[in-house]
Amino acid sequence: MKATIIFLLVAQVSWAGPFQQKGLFDFMLEDEASGIGPEEHFPEVPEIEPMGPVCPFRCQCHLRVVQCSDLELGTNPLKSSGIENGAFQGMKKLSYIRIADTNITTIPQGLPPSLTELHLDGNKITKVDAASLKGLNNLAKLGLSFNSISAVDNGSLANTPHLRELHLNNNKLVKVPGGLADHKYIQVVYLHNNNISAIGSNDFCPPGYNTKKASYSGVSLFSNPVQYWEIQPSTFRCVYVRAAVQLGNYK
């Protein structure tokens, strides 16, 4: 009887197929499948909607900036009378405003002091007065290109003490805006394509060389009627490198 049982066990072993070594990946698949055969499929898992705020439709969201098509208030039939004084005052954390290519003729009044960038390019602004920039202590970039600005009032730039970039190209300026020499942080000034016919030796830099004023990294003055060979070399004594100054009548 014992011999018969042993014979049956040996016969079962001999009838089994030869042992085939599986790769490590095969064993991992078996573990992950948890007993599911090769012909079976995992049930579909429904997508989970993201938590938190969702970017508005047809907008682009970047940290604290939301850019929406028509937009940002640009390219609208907007007039100065259509922007009430203090319309943005309730936005205490607003850092960026762009109102470009509209019909406004003045800089909106009562802008929030939290602004770091203000872009008003391509409008019909004729003048920059000190009152319009009052309180913008955090403003670092001011874009006023492609307007009809012929004058910048004295004291206007003093109301933006942390300004670093000023874009006034493609306007109707007849002289360099006052206050640049006394401004501590401004480094980039675009004044090309204006009507500036003369540049004084103290228009950009304060008297002397030992000052705490930040060095200019970019000053554009080309396409102005000024004779660049008549400009005193000391005019740009506070420029970082001479190559940062663009003169001449080229475009």
Side-chain angles (χ1 to χ4, degrees), residues 131-176:
S132 61
L133 299 178
K134 189 175 182 179
L136 299 181
N137 296 328
N138 295 305
L139 196 66
K141 188 173 183 179
L142 176 59
L144 291 167
S145 306
F146 293 93
N147 278 280
S148 299
I149 299 171
S150 59
V152 178
D153 283 355
N154 291 333
S156 297
L157 297 181
N159 286 332
T160 57
H162 290 93
L163 193 67
R164 284 170 168 75
E165 287 192 32
L166 176 62
H167 296 197
L168 279 167
N169 55 286
N170 295 86
N171 278 285
K172 297 181 179 180
L173 293 172
V174 295
K175 63 179 182 179
V176 176

mmCIF file of all heavy atoms in Angstrom, residues 131-176:
data_model
loop_
_atom_site.group_PDB
_atom_site.id
_atom_site.type_symbol
_atom_site.label_atom_id
_atom_site.label_comp_id
_atom_site.label_asym_id
_atom_site.label_seq_id
_atom_site.Cartn_x
_atom_site.Cartn_y
_atom_site.Cartn_z
ATOM 1 N N ALA A 131 -0.322 114.058 -8.835
ATOM 2 C CA ALA A 131 -1.452 113.522 -8.073
ATOM 3 C C ALA A 131 -1.847 112.122 -8.522
ATOM 4 O O ALA A 131 -2.275 111.295 -7.720
ATOM 5 C CB ALA A 131 -2.652 114.468 -8.186
ATOM 6 N N SER A 132 -1.677 111.834 -9.816
ATOM 7 C CA SER A 132 -2.110 110.535 -10.329
ATOM 8 C C SER A 132 -1.230 109.392 -9.838
ATOM 9 O O SER A 132 -1.666 108.243 -9.819
ATOM 10 C CB SER A 132 -2.120 110.560 -11.861
ATOM 11 O OG SER A 132 -0.813 110.817 -12.359
ATOM 12 N N LEU A 133 0.003 109.683 -9.434
ATOM 13 C CA LEU A 133 0.910 108.645 -8.953
ATOM 14 C C LEU A 133 1.096 108.686 -7.436
ATOM 15 O O LEU A 133 1.902 107.925 -6.899
ATOM 16 C CB LEU A 133 2.276 108.786 -9.641
ATOM 17 C CG LEU A 133 2.284 108.645 -11.168
ATOM 18 C CD1 LEU A 133 3.692 108.856 -11.708
ATOM 19 C CD2 LEU A 133 1.751 107.290 -11.600
ATOM 20 N N LYS A 134 0.354 109.533 -6.779
ATOM 21 C CA LYS A 134 0.504 109.672 -5.338
ATOM 22 C C LYS A 134 0.094 108.398 -4.604
ATOM 23 O O LYS A 134 -0.942 107.807 -4.880
ATOM 24 C CB LYS A 134 -0.341 110.837 -4.831
ATOM 25 C CG LYS A 134 -0.093 111.191 -3.379
ATOM 26 C CD LYS A 134 -0.877 112.431 -2.971
ATOM 27 C CE LYS A 134 -0.603 112.818 -1.531
ATOM 28 N NZ LYS A 134 -1.355 114.039 -1.139
ATOM 29 N N GLY A 135 0.947 107.977 -3.679
ATOM 30 C CA GLY A 135 0.646 106.807 -2.863
ATOM 31 C C GLY A 135 1.097 105.489 -3.440
ATOM 32 O O GLY A 135 0.960 104.451 -2.782
ATOM 33 N N LEU A 136 1.668 105.490 -4.640
ATOM 34 C CA LEU A 136 2.117 104.233 -5.253
ATOM 35 C C LEU A 136 3.553 103.922 -4.813
ATOM 36 O O LEU A 136 4.489 103.874 -5.611
ATOM 37 C CB LEU A 136 2.019 104.334 -6.777
ATOM 38 C CG LEU A 136 0.608 104.566 -7.332
ATOM 39 C CD1 LEU A 136 0.627 104.623 -8.855
ATOM 40 C CD2 LEU A 136 -0.346 103.460 -6.860
ATOM 41 N N ASN A 137 3.683 103.686 -3.529
ATOM 42 C CA ASN A 137 5.017 103.504 -2.944
ATOM 43 C C ASN A 137 5.678 102.193 -3.343
ATOM 44 O O ASN A 137 6.901 102.055 -3.221
ATOM 45 C CB ASN A 137 4.928 103.575 -1.416
ATOM 46 C CG ASN A 137 4.487 104.936 -0.922
ATOM 47 O OD1 ASN A 137 4.792 105.955 -1.539
ATOM 48 N ND2 ASN A 137 3.765 104.972 0.179
ATOM 49 N N ASN A 138 4.893 101.212 -3.780
ATOM 50 C CA ASN A 138 5.446 99.904 -4.124
ATOM 51 C C ASN A 138 5.614 99.700 -5.629
ATOM 52 O O ASN A 138 6.069 98.644 -6.060
ATOM 53 C CB ASN A 138 4.548 98.792 -3.575
ATOM 54 C CG ASN A 138 4.517 98.777 -2.059
ATOM 55 O OD1 ASN A 138 5.555 98.702 -1.417
ATOM 56 N ND2 ASN A 138 3.331 98.849 -1.474
ATOM 57 N N LEU A 139 5.251 100.696 -6.421
ATOM 58 C CA LEU A 139 5.304 100.546 -7.864
ATOM 59 C C LEU A 139 6.752 100.393 -8.336
ATOM 60 O O LEU A 139 7.606 101.224 -8.035
ATOM 61 C CB LEU A 139 4.668 101.759 -8.546
ATOM 62 C CG LEU A 139 4.309 101.578 -10.020
ATOM 63 C CD1 LEU A 139 3.205 100.549 -10.176
ATOM 64 C CD2 LEU A 139 3.888 102.907 -10.640
ATOM 65 N N ALA A 140 6.999 99.312 -9.090
ATOM 66 C CA ALA A 140 8.344 99.054 -9.603
ATOM 67 C C ALA A 140 8.434 99.225 -11.117
ATOM 68 O O ALA A 140 9.516 99.479 -11.642
ATOM 69 C CB ALA A 140 8.782 97.634 -9.230
ATOM 70 N N LYS A 141 7.317 99.104 -11.819
ATOM 71 C CA LYS A 141 7.336 99.213 -13.272
ATOM 72 C C LYS A 141 6.133 100.021 -13.738
ATOM 73 O O LYS A 141 5.002 99.702 -13.396
ATOM 74 C CB LYS A 141 7.324 97.823 -13.907
ATOM 75 C CG LYS A 141 7.524 97.820 -15.415
ATOM 76 C CD LYS A 141 7.679 96.412 -15.938
ATOM 77 C CE LYS A 141 7.962 96.400 -17.434
ATOM 78 N NZ LYS A 141 8.140 95.014 -17.943
ATOM 79 N N LEU A 142 6.399 101.059 -14.536
ATOM 80 C CA LEU A 142 5.346 101.931 -15.053
ATOM 81 C C LEU A 142 5.472 102.003 -16.566
ATOM 82 O O LEU A 142 6.484 102.469 -17.098
ATOM 83 C CB LEU A 142 5.461 103.326 -14.443
ATOM 84 C CG LEU A 142 4.474 104.383 -14.952
ATOM 85 C CD1 LEU A 142 3.034 103.961 -14.709
ATOM 86 C CD2 LEU A 142 4.751 105.730 -14.287
ATOM 87 N N GLY A 143 4.446 101.516 -17.254
ATOM 88 C CA GLY A 143 4.442 101.523 -18.711
ATOM 89 C C GLY A 143 3.481 102.557 -19.254
ATOM 90 O O GLY A 143 2.271 102.459 -19.047
ATOM 91 N N LEU A 144 4.014 103.560 -19.963
ATOM 92 C CA LEU A 144 3.211 104.633 -20.553
ATOM 93 C C LEU A 144 3.572 104.843 -22.017
ATOM 94 O O LEU A 144 3.409 105.941 -22.558
ATOM 95 C CB LEU A 144 3.410 105.931 -19.766
ATOM 96 C CG LEU A 144 2.834 105.959 -18.341
ATOM 97 C CD1 LEU A 144 3.378 107.152 -17.573
ATOM 98 C CD2 LEU A 144 1.311 105.998 -18.369
ATOM 99 N N SER A 145 4.037 103.807 -22.661
ATOM 100 C CA SER A 145 4.444 103.912 -24.060
ATOM 101 C C SER A 145 3.241 104.117 -24.975
ATOM 102 O O SER A 145 2.111 103.757 -24.634
ATOM 103 C CB SER A 145 5.194 102.641 -24.484
ATOM 104 O OG SER A 145 6.276 102.369 -23.616
ATOM 105 N N PHE A 146 3.506 104.706 -26.146
ATOM 106 C CA PHE A 146 2.492 104.875 -27.186
ATOM 107 C C PHE A 146 1.262 105.641 -26.676
ATOM 108 O O PHE A 146 0.130 105.193 -26.808
ATOM 109 C CB PHE A 146 2.082 103.521 -27.763
ATOM 110 C CG PHE A 146 3.180 102.840 -28.525
ATOM 111 C CD1 PHE A 146 4.014 101.931 -27.891
ATOM 112 C CD2 PHE A 146 3.387 103.115 -29.874
ATOM 113 C CE1 PHE A 146 5.043 101.306 -28.587
ATOM 114 C CE2 PHE A 146 4.412 102.497 -30.580
ATOM 115 C CZ PHE A 146 5.244 101.586 -29.931
ATOM 116 N N ASN A 147 1.527 106.797 -26.059
ATOM 117 C CA ASN A 147 0.475 107.729 -25.673
ATOM 118 C C ASN A 147 0.749 109.063 -26.367
ATOM 119 O O ASN A 147 1.469 109.104 -27.377
ATOM 120 C CB ASN A 147 0.432 107.888 -24.148
ATOM 121 C CG ASN A 147 -0.336 106.766 -23.473
ATOM 122 O OD1 ASN A 147 -1.559 106.753 -23.429
ATOM 123 N ND2 ASN A 147 0.389 105.783 -22.932
ATOM 124 N N SER A 148 0.215 110.133 -25.823
ATOM 125 C CA SER A 148 0.463 111.472 -26.367
ATOM 126 C C SER A 148 0.996 112.390 -25.286
ATOM 127 O O SER A 148 0.655 113.574 -25.223
ATOM 128 C CB SER A 148 -0.835 112.040 -26.973
ATOM 129 O OG SER A 148 -1.306 111.225 -28.031
ATOM 130 N N ILE A 149 1.848 111.843 -24.426
ATOM 131 C CA ILE A 149 2.357 112.575 -23.268
ATOM 132 C C ILE A 149 3.404 113.596 -23.718
ATOM 133 O O ILE A 149 4.398 113.260 -24.352
ATOM 134 C CB ILE A 149 2.956 111.600 -22.244
ATOM 135 C CG1 ILE A 149 1.877 110.631 -21.753
ATOM 136 C CG2 ILE A 149 3.576 112.355 -21.071
ATOM 137 C CD1 ILE A 149 2.402 109.508 -20.901
ATOM 138 N N SER A 150 3.163 114.835 -23.352
ATOM 139 C CA SER A 150 4.102 115.901 -23.693
ATOM 140 C C SER A 150 4.825 116.458 -22.478
ATOM 141 O O SER A 150 5.797 117.206 -22.626
ATOM 142 C CB SER A 150 3.367 117.042 -24.416
ATOM 143 O OG SER A 150 2.328 117.571 -23.595
ATOM 144 N N ALA A 151 4.362 116.101 -21.281
ATOM 145 C CA ALA A 151 4.983 116.638 -20.063
ATOM 146 C C ALA A 151 4.799 115.682 -18.905
ATOM 147 O O ALA A 151 3.787 114.990 -18.793
ATOM 148 C CB ALA A 151 4.380 118.000 -19.721
ATOM 149 N N VAL A 152 5.820 115.654 -18.036
ATOM 150 C CA VAL A 152 5.765 114.917 -16.770
ATOM 151 C C VAL A 152 5.998 115.936 -15.668
ATOM 152 O O VAL A 152 7.089 116.515 -15.560
ATOM 153 C CB VAL A 152 6.830 113.802 -16.708
ATOM 154 C CG1 VAL A 152 6.789 113.093 -15.358
ATOM 155 C CG2 VAL A 152 6.620 112.799 -17.843
ATOM 156 N N ASP A 153 4.980 116.172 -14.862
ATOM 157 C CA ASP A 153 5.077 117.204 -13.822
ATOM 158 C C ASP A 153 6.199 116.913 -12.840
ATOM 159 O O ASP A 153 6.504 115.744 -12.525
ATOM 160 C CB ASP A 153 3.751 117.297 -13.052
ATOM 161 C CG ASP A 153 2.688 118.035 -13.844
ATOM 162 O OD1 ASP A 153 3.001 118.555 -14.930
ATOM 163 O OD2 ASP A 153 1.534 118.086 -13.367
ATOM 164 N N ASN A 154 6.798 117.988 -12.322
ATOM 165 C CA ASN A 154 7.797 117.842 -11.269
ATOM 166 C C ASN A 154 7.172 117.209 -10.029
ATOM 167 O O ASN A 154 6.054 117.565 -9.639
ATOM 168 C CB ASN A 154 8.377 119.213 -10.899
ATOM 169 C CG ASN A 154 9.235 119.792 -12.008
ATOM 170 O OD1 ASN A 154 9.818 119.060 -12.802
ATOM 171 N ND2 ASN A 154 9.319 121.120 -12.065
ATOM 172 N N GLY A 155 7.876 116.281 -9.449
ATOM 173 C CA GLY A 155 7.384 115.594 -8.263
ATOM 174 C C GLY A 155 6.621 114.325 -8.577
ATOM 175 O O GLY A 155 6.287 113.561 -7.646
ATOM 176 N N SER A 156 6.341 114.057 -9.844
ATOM 177 C CA SER A 156 5.597 112.843 -10.192
ATOM 178 C C SER A 156 6.385 111.588 -9.841
ATOM 179 O O SER A 156 5.852 110.656 -9.226
ATOM 180 C CB SER A 156 5.256 112.836 -11.687
ATOM 181 O OG SER A 156 4.415 113.920 -12.021
ATOM 182 N N LEU A 157 7.644 111.547 -10.219
ATOM 183 C CA LEU A 157 8.461 110.365 -9.951
ATOM 184 C C LEU A 157 8.783 110.209 -8.464
ATOM 185 O O LEU A 157 9.043 109.107 -7.998
ATOM 186 C CB LEU A 157 9.749 110.419 -10.772
ATOM 187 C CG LEU A 157 9.561 110.403 -12.296
ATOM 188 C CD1 LEU A 157 10.907 110.442 -12.994
ATOM 189 C CD2 LEU A 157 8.775 109.174 -12.719
ATOM 190 N N ALA A 158 8.759 111.309 -7.729
ATOM 191 C CA ALA A 158 9.009 111.232 -6.291
ATOM 192 C C ALA A 158 7.908 110.465 -5.572
ATOM 193 O O ALA A 158 8.121 109.933 -4.477
ATOM 194 C CB ALA A 158 9.145 112.638 -5.708
ATOM 195 N N ASN A 159 6.719 110.394 -6.183
ATOM 196 C CA ASN A 159 5.614 109.653 -5.583
ATOM 197 C C ASN A 159 5.709 108.147 -5.833
ATOM 198 O O ASN A 159 4.884 107.389 -5.340
ATOM 199 C CB ASN A 159 4.275 110.165 -6.129
ATOM 200 C CG ASN A 159 3.911 111.514 -5.538
ATOM 201 O OD1 ASN A 159 4.301 111.839 -4.425
ATOM 202 N ND2 ASN A 159 3.161 112.310 -6.290
ATOM 203 N N THR A 160 6.698 107.747 -6.608
ATOM 204 C CA THR A 160 6.955 106.314 -6.838
ATOM 205 C C THR A 160 8.396 106.014 -6.439
ATOM 206 O O THR A 160 9.245 105.762 -7.290
ATOM 207 C CB THR A 160 6.715 105.944 -8.307
ATOM 208 O OG1 THR A 160 7.555 106.774 -9.130
ATOM 209 C CG2 THR A 160 5.252 106.165 -8.704
ATOM 210 N N PRO A 161 8.691 106.032 -5.143
ATOM 211 C CA PRO A 161 10.082 105.965 -4.683
ATOM 212 C C PRO A 161 10.801 104.663 -4.984
ATOM 213 O O PRO A 161 12.029 104.628 -4.955
ATOM 214 C CB PRO A 161 9.947 106.180 -3.156
ATOM 215 C CG PRO A 161 8.561 105.727 -2.835
ATOM 216 C CD PRO A 161 7.730 106.093 -4.018
ATOM 217 N N HIS A 162 10.062 103.576 -5.277
ATOM 218 C CA HIS A 162 10.701 102.298 -5.562
ATOM 219 C C HIS A 162 10.627 101.917 -7.035
ATOM 220 O O HIS A 162 10.829 100.755 -7.398
ATOM 221 C CB HIS A 162 10.080 101.196 -4.704
ATOM 222 C CG HIS A 162 10.417 101.320 -3.243
ATOM 223 N ND1 HIS A 162 9.622 101.991 -2.347
ATOM 224 C CD2 HIS A 162 11.477 100.876 -2.525
ATOM 225 C CE1 HIS A 162 10.164 101.942 -1.147
ATOM 226 N NE2 HIS A 162 11.293 101.283 -1.218
ATOM 227 N N LEU A 163 10.336 102.880 -7.880
ATOM 228 C CA LEU A 163 10.243 102.625 -9.309
ATOM 229 C C LEU A 163 11.600 102.209 -9.874
ATOM 230 O O LEU A 163 12.616 102.844 -9.588
ATOM 231 C CB LEU A 163 9.745 103.877 -10.033
ATOM 232 C CG LEU A 163 9.304 103.691 -11.482
ATOM 233 C CD1 LEU A 163 8.048 102.833 -11.563
ATOM 234 C CD2 LEU A 163 9.055 105.040 -12.145
ATOM 235 N N ARG A 164 11.577 101.159 -10.689
ATOM 236 C CA ARG A 164 12.807 100.666 -11.310
ATOM 237 C C ARG A 164 12.784 100.756 -12.835
ATOM 238 O O ARG A 164 13.826 100.852 -13.464
ATOM 239 C CB ARG A 164 13.078 99.221 -10.876
ATOM 240 C CG ARG A 164 13.614 99.129 -9.450
ATOM 241 C CD ARG A 164 13.638 97.703 -8.942
ATOM 242 N NE ARG A 164 14.406 97.582 -7.705
ATOM 243 C CZ ARG A 164 13.993 97.970 -6.517
ATOM 244 N NH1 ARG A 164 12.794 98.524 -6.385
ATOM 245 N NH2 ARG A 164 14.745 97.828 -5.436
ATOM 246 N N GLU A 165 11.603 100.688 -13.413
ATOM 247 C CA GLU A 165 11.479 100.788 -14.875
ATOM 248 C C GLU A 165 10.425 101.826 -15.235
ATOM 249 O O GLU A 165 9.324 101.812 -14.701
ATOM 250 C CB GLU A 165 11.090 99.439 -15.492
ATOM 251 C CG GLU A 165 12.211 98.424 -15.501
ATOM 252 C CD GLU A 165 11.887 97.219 -16.382
ATOM 253 O OE1 GLU A 165 11.162 97.400 -17.396
ATOM 254 O OE2 GLU A 165 12.329 96.116 -16.060
ATOM 255 N N LEU A 166 10.784 102.705 -16.185
ATOM 256 C CA LEU A 166 9.876 103.731 -16.672
ATOM 257 C C LEU A 166 9.886 103.699 -18.195
ATOM 258 O O LEU A 166 10.912 103.947 -18.828
ATOM 259 C CB LEU A 166 10.313 105.114 -16.168
ATOM 260 C CG LEU A 166 9.506 106.309 -16.686
ATOM 261 C CD1 LEU A 166 8.046 106.215 -16.248
ATOM 262 C CD2 LEU A 166 10.127 107.614 -16.199
ATOM 263 N N HIS A 167 8.731 103.406 -18.779
ATOM 264 C CA HIS A 167 8.611 103.324 -20.232
ATOM 265 C C HIS A 167 7.776 104.504 -20.730
ATOM 266 O O HIS A 167 6.562 104.553 -20.515
ATOM 267 C CB HIS A 167 7.948 102.006 -20.644
ATOM 268 C CG HIS A 167 8.752 100.797 -20.287
ATOM 269 N ND1 HIS A 167 8.531 99.567 -20.854
ATOM 270 C CD2 HIS A 167 9.783 100.616 -19.428
ATOM 271 C CE1 HIS A 167 9.379 98.674 -20.356
ATOM 272 N NE2 HIS A 167 10.148 99.298 -19.480
ATOM 273 N N LEU A 168 8.435 105.444 -21.384
ATOM 274 C CA LEU A 168 7.779 106.631 -21.935
ATOM 275 C C LEU A 168 8.094 106.795 -23.416
ATOM 276 O O LEU A 168 7.990 107.898 -23.953
ATOM 277 C CB LEU A 168 8.219 107.876 -21.168
ATOM 278 C CG LEU A 168 7.507 108.142 -19.826
ATOM 279 C CD1 LEU A 168 8.247 109.212 -19.036
ATOM 280 C CD2 LEU A 168 6.064 108.560 -20.044
ATOM 281 N N ASN A 169 8.483 105.746 -24.060
ATOM 282 C CA ASN A 169 8.803 105.803 -25.485
ATOM 283 C C ASN A 169 7.543 106.006 -26.324
ATOM 284 O O ASN A 169 6.423 105.731 -25.887
ATOM 285 C CB ASN A 169 9.518 104.531 -25.924
ATOM 286 C CG ASN A 169 8.737 103.268 -25.599
ATOM 287 O OD1 ASN A 169 8.674 102.872 -24.436
ATOM 288 N ND2 ASN A 169 8.148 102.645 -26.598
ATOM 289 N N ASN A 170 7.742 106.541 -27.517
ATOM 290 C CA ASN A 170 6.648 106.789 -28.454
ATOM 291 C C ASN A 170 5.584 107.711 -27.867
ATOM 292 O O ASN A 170 4.393 107.385 -27.811
ATOM 293 C CB ASN A 170 6.018 105.468 -28.905
ATOM 294 C CG ASN A 170 6.981 104.610 -29.711
ATOM 295 O OD1 ASN A 170 7.758 103.849 -29.130
ATOM 296 N ND2 ASN A 170 6.943 104.733 -31.029
ATOM 297 N N ASN A 171 6.053 108.876 -27.406
ATOM 298 C CA ASN A 171 5.174 109.926 -26.897
ATOM 299 C C ASN A 171 5.560 111.245 -27.553
ATOM 300 O O ASN A 171 6.151 111.254 -28.644
ATOM 301 C CB ASN A 171 5.260 110.002 -25.369
ATOM 302 C CG ASN A 171 4.374 108.971 -24.685
ATOM 303 O OD1 ASN A 171 3.164 109.115 -24.635
ATOM 304 N ND2 ASN A 171 4.991 107.913 -24.151
ATOM 305 N N LYS A 172 5.244 112.362 -26.885
ATOM 306 C CA LYS A 172 5.521 113.683 -27.444
ATOM 307 C C LYS A 172 6.343 114.532 -26.482
ATOM 308 O O LYS A 172 6.198 115.758 -26.439
ATOM 309 C CB LYS A 172 4.209 114.383 -27.790
ATOM 310 C CG LYS A 172 3.402 113.662 -28.864
ATOM 311 C CD LYS A 172 2.113 114.398 -29.185
ATOM 312 C CE LYS A 172 1.321 113.688 -30.278
ATOM 313 N NZ LYS A 172 0.052 114.388 -30.599
ATOM 314 N N LEU A 173 7.208 113.897 -25.725
ATOM 315 C CA LEU A 173 8.052 114.614 -24.769
ATOM 316 C C LEU A 173 9.057 115.497 -25.505
ATOM 317 O O LEU A 173 9.640 115.090 -26.515
ATOM 318 C CB LEU A 173 8.795 113.626 -23.876
ATOM 319 C CG LEU A 173 7.951 112.793 -22.912
ATOM 320 C CD1 LEU A 173 8.806 111.731 -22.240
ATOM 321 C CD2 LEU A 173 7.293 113.683 -21.860
ATOM 322 N N VAL A 174 9.263 116.694 -24.962
ATOM 323 C CA VAL A 174 10.236 117.608 -25.551
ATOM 324 C C VAL A 174 11.500 117.717 -24.694
ATOM 325 O O VAL A 174 12.478 118.345 -25.106
ATOM 326 C CB VAL A 174 9.616 119.008 -25.756
ATOM 327 C CG1 VAL A 174 8.488 118.931 -26.781
ATOM 328 C CG2 VAL A 174 9.109 119.579 -24.434
ATOM 329 N N LYS A 175 11.460 117.119 -23.506
ATOM 330 C CA LYS A 175 12.630 117.106 -22.631
ATOM 331 C C LYS A 175 12.597 115.865 -21.748
ATOM 332 O O LYS A 175 11.570 115.199 -21.614
ATOM 333 C CB LYS A 175 12.685 118.367 -21.770
ATOM 334 C CG LYS A 175 11.527 118.517 -20.816
ATOM 335 C CD LYS A 175 11.685 119.786 -19.975
ATOM 336 C CE LYS A 175 10.546 119.921 -18.966
ATOM 337 N NZ LYS A 175 10.710 121.141 -18.119
ATOM 338 N N VAL A 176 13.723 115.587 -21.139
ATOM 339 C CA VAL A 176 13.818 114.449 -20.225
ATOM 340 C C VAL A 176 12.972 114.732 -18.985
ATOM 341 O O VAL A 176 13.042 115.833 -18.425
ATOM 342 C CB VAL A 176 15.289 114.194 -19.820
ATOM 343 C CG1 VAL A 176 15.385 113.073 -18.788
ATOM 344 C CG2 VAL A 176 16.123 113.869 -21.052
#
